[in-house]
Amino acid sequence: MLGVYDNADTVFTVTENLVKSGYDVHDVYTPFAVHNLDKVIGVKRTRLSTAAFVFAMTGLLSAVTLQVYASYFDWQMNIGGKPSLHIPTYIPITFELSILFTAFGMVGCFFFVNRMFPGRNTDVIDLRVTDDRFVIAVNIHTKTDVKSLEEAFVSGGALEVRERVKDI
């Protein structure tokens, strides 16, 4: 069941009331971020920072391994009397490869987590969400009272209430 609204504050209040009433709010689609709405519907904290750390450490390890192998084991050279294993000279390349691996890894994670791949058709709830409308999507179960849900949407100021059947 979808409720379409035109005000962010109204959407926040209605969503809060629906969650308190025990309805299964699937998601709230908004044209911009609404502060604390993720906490109201119970969205878990992202693991993005952990993934970024893993990618950065992979880049760091790759950079150090490559430089140590190239300058110490494979092709030792005496440049200005410096030792072959001179760690301060590795810092710029290590820093840059850490950033590169993190950037590419995060882009890959984004596409993987959001299941975005070539040829996939988008599933748009309502085209107006990208413009100026807010949509609250509530899952309907066998024990869900549809009439009271519609009344909750309408009493909250919904511009439109409709049922959406998901394609199988």
Side-chain angles (χ1 to χ4, degrees):
M1 181 77 66
L2 304 175
V4 181
Y5 295 86
D6 63 350
N7 187 336
D9 296 330
T10 306
V11 166
F12 185 83
T13 305
V14 170
T15 304
E16 208 170 31
N17 293 337
L18 288 172
V19 169
K20 286 179 184 174
S21 299
Y23 289 106
D24 180 19
V25 177
H26 174 71
D27 206 348
V28 180
Y29 302 95
T30 62
F32 54 84
V34 178
H35 188 62
N36 282 334
L37 191 58
D38 54 342
K39 292 177 184 170
V40 169
I41 62 175
V43 175
K44 296 178 186 173
R45 188 178 186 283
T46 182
R47 295 178 298 217
L48 207 56
S49 56
T50 305
F53 179 76
V54 168
F55 291 129
M57 290 302 108
T58 304
L60 184 132
L61 185 64
S62 299
V64 170
T65 302
L66 173 70
Q67 291 176 93
V68 167
Y69 172 75
S71 68
Y72 189 72
F73 295 107
D74 188 38
W75 195 268
Q76 267 193 6
M77 297 174 76
N78 184 2
I79 300 173
K82 292 181 185 172
S84 296
L85 196 60
H86 189 61
I87 301 300
T89 59
Y90 299 167
I91 291 174
I93 294 172
T94 303
F95 176 73
E96 293 298 332
L97 272 184
S98 297
I99 292 173
L100 181 71
F101 274 55
T102 303
F104 283 138
M106 297 308 291
V107 168
C109 271
F110 175 79
F111 285 119
F112 179 76
V113 167
N114 292 309
R115 294 186 287 289
M116 295 174 67
F117 48 87
R120 182 171 186 259
N121 291 332
T122 59
D123 185 25
V124 180
I125 295 290
D126 193 329
L127 287 175
R128 297 172 294 177
V129 171
T130 59
D131 237 355
D132 61 348
R133 295 290 186 249
F134 303 83
V135 176
I136 301 173
V138 178
N139 290 327
I140 297 176
H141 303 291
T142 54
K143 58 185 175 185
T144 303
D145 185 13
V146 178
K147 288 291 182 193
S148 65
L149 178 59
E150 282 183 33
E151 289 173 13
F153 278 142
V154 172
S155 67
L159 303 174
E160 178 183 335
V161 177
R162 67 176 189 265
E163 195 168 333
R164 181 174 184 269
V165 180
K166 189 172 182 179
D167 299 333
I168 298 174

